Amino acid sequence: MNKFMYKMANFFQGRYGIDELYKFLFILFWIIAILSLFIRNPIIYLIEMLICVFMFFRALSRNIYKRQNENMKYLKIRDKVKGKINLQKRKWADRNTHIYRKCPNCKAEIRLPKKKGKHVCTCPSCKKDFDVKCR
Ligand SMILES: [Zn+2]
């Protein structure tokens, strides 16, 4: 190994590197970069630069514990958003056969067969009854 490669390997030793948050920021960076080609605005440019700096800061950081925590927070938010999107997809897919209602007691989302009229429904998670109207 030549001297340069040795120095590079030494530099990256113990650094945090790339994770899911990095990948997300990378995509976000490019979306904003492409947007800024059309919208010439110093604030957009500033945001772009901040994302870039944050990406490099995280990848080269030696505080691995803190970076992992940031990544965990990001993953939690991402999973929540994904879950909501999937629920909307499911609602749309069976809009003709089922209705979705929130339990007034525990706020759980319940999938019910679509039958016209008034019904009494028992929540599967908290076992409380509540009225459901279906048009
Ligand atoms: Zn409930």
Side-chain angles (χ1 to χ4, degrees):
M1 216 191 307
N2 64 37
K3 222 176 179 182
F4 176 73
M5 289 295 279
Y6 180 76
K7 274 187 175 174
M8 285 300 280
N10 215 23
F11 180 74
F12 286 105
Q13 188 80 43
R15 306 273 177 176
Y16 182 61
I18 289 168
D19 62 7
E20 290 302 306
L21 179 56
Y22 182 92
K23 289 174 193 168
F24 170 75
L25 289 171
F26 185 78
I27 293 166
L28 190 67
F29 172 79
W30 279 106
I31 290 170
I32 293 173
I34 291 165
L35 270 180
S36 71
L37 289 176
F38 303 104
I39 310 160
R40 298 232 170 252
N41 186 325
I43 293 165
I44 291 174
Y45 183 72
L46 184 71
I47 291 168
E48 198 184 318
M49 287 300 111
L50 285 175
I51 290 171
C52 195
V53 168
F54 188 54
M55 270 165 61
F56 276 104
F57 164 74
R58 289 192 77 252
L60 300 177
S61 171
R62 287 188 193 275
N63 194 344
I64 289 168
Y65 178 73
K66 238 185 174 175
R67 300 292 86 79
Q68 279 175 337
N69 271 348
E70 287 167 1
N71 192 47
M72 292 281 268
K73 277 181 194 164
Y74 160 70
L75 289 177
K76 256 189 196 168
I77 294 167
R78 189 188 72 177
D79 288 348
K80 243 188 191 174
V81 171
K82 265 190 180 175
K84 278 188 180 166
I85 291 169
N86 282 340
L87 180 66
Q88 292 305 319
K89 275 186 189 170
R90 260 186 290 140
K91 276 183 181 178
W92 181 253
D94 48 39
R95 66 190 178 279
N96 292 324
T97 55
H98 291 83
I99 57 168
Y100 286 79
R101 290 289 182 270
K102 251 189 187 153
C103 168
N105 189 45
C106 71
K107 311 291 179 217
E109 193 90 24
I110 304 162
R111 182 175 178 259
L112 303 161
K114 199 172 186 174
K115 281 188 221 152
K116 277 188 181 179
K118 259 188 177 181
H119 309 282
V120 176
C121 167
T122 307
C123 174
S125 48
C126 69
K127 313 289 179 211
K128 290 236 166 121
D129 290 343
F130 63 95
D131 292 330
V132 174
K133 263 189 214 170
C134 183
R135 289 176 283 133

